[in-house]
Amino acid sequence: MKMGKLAPKHSEKTLLLSDYQDLSVPPPPGKVWREYAIPVGQWGVLGNADYGDCTCACAGHIEMLMTAHTGSMYVPSLGDILAAYSAVSGFDAGPPVQNDNGAAISDVLEFWRVSGIAGRKILGWAQIDWQNINAVKQAIWLFGALDIGIQLPKSAMEQTNAGQTWEVLSDDGGIL
């Protein structure tokens, strides 16, 4: 897998969900089973095995997840995802590949809202307090998906590639 999520980037367009949502509302059900609408083999990586397009691939996976519940799942093409990645980051599939440096999630979300990814747009996006597990659960319950980026140490990726469960190592190789 190629890493591609850049560090969080502040955007003036970012709304805070807590400004619009009463977080004292009881949490949603413990399980909603949304992810089971897509068989395991149909997810694909949308280019993320070869390119640092994980932020745009995530948008494609969210489109798949949202539409899988309508009876007609929409699967964006690799070309659509790479076109969005290129528009946001300056990526060029080449050859040779150039500017494969990843993208900030906020830039991808704003591009998705304004220009669309794979011909589809979102109405908006909001930031949540990811440290508040109730807020995370409510956002997933209310909106169906959550775009969240993580950082992994090199050792976790090596363990994943070797088919192993992650173990914390004192020499983890640093953050990828």
Side-chain angles (χ1 to χ4, degrees):
M1 289 287 193
K2 175 106 169 96
M3 299 290 110
K5 181 196 78 66
L6 298 181
K9 180 179 173 184
H10 176 73
S11 168
E12 295 296 324
K13 305 271 184 189
T14 301
L15 302 173
L16 299 177
L17 187 58
S18 60
D19 289 345
Y20 303 93
Q21 179 184 13
D22 180 1
L23 295 179
S24 65
V25 173
K31 186 72 176 163
V32 293
W33 307 100
R34 285 194 172 102
E35 68 274 23
Y36 297 106
I38 303 174
V40 174
Q42 289 188 354
W43 281 101
V45 293
L46 298 177
N48 195 218
D50 300 312
Y51 308 109
D53 71 337
C54 61
T55 50
C56 293
C58 180
H61 287 129
I62 290 173
E63 286 287 355
M64 291 170 64
L65 181 64
M66 295 295 107
T67 59
H69 295 279
T70 66
S72 180
M73 181 173 69
Y74 176 78
V75 180
S77 72
L78 174 60
D80 287 334
I81 298 303
L82 293 181
Y85 180 44
S86 178
V88 172
S89 71
F91 166 76
D92 182 352
V97 171
Q98 298 178 51
N99 302 319
D100 190 8
N101 302 313
I105 293 173
S106 56
D107 290 343
V108 171
L109 292 172
E110 186 59 11
F111 179 81
W112 194 5
R113 184 186 73 80
V114 173
S115 301
I117 295 178
R120 304 166 80 87
K121 293 182 179 182
I122 56 173
L123 296 175
W125 51 278
Q127 182 175 327
I128 65 165
D129 177 2
W130 57 269
Q131 294 177 316
N132 179 335
I133 193 65
N134 194 46
V136 169
K137 289 178 180 181
Q138 286 178 334
I140 292 169
W141 175 246
L142 291 171
F143 302 108
L146 194 65
D147 184 340
I148 189 166
I150 61 169
Q151 294 181 312
L152 297 173
K154 184 177 179 185
S155 61
M157 187 55 69
E158 290 170 348
Q159 291 167 11
T160 297
N161 290 338
Q164 301 169 343
T165 303
W166 293 348
E167 289 185 31
V168 177
L169 302 177
S170 57
D171 180 13
D172 65 10
I175 298 297
L176 285 175

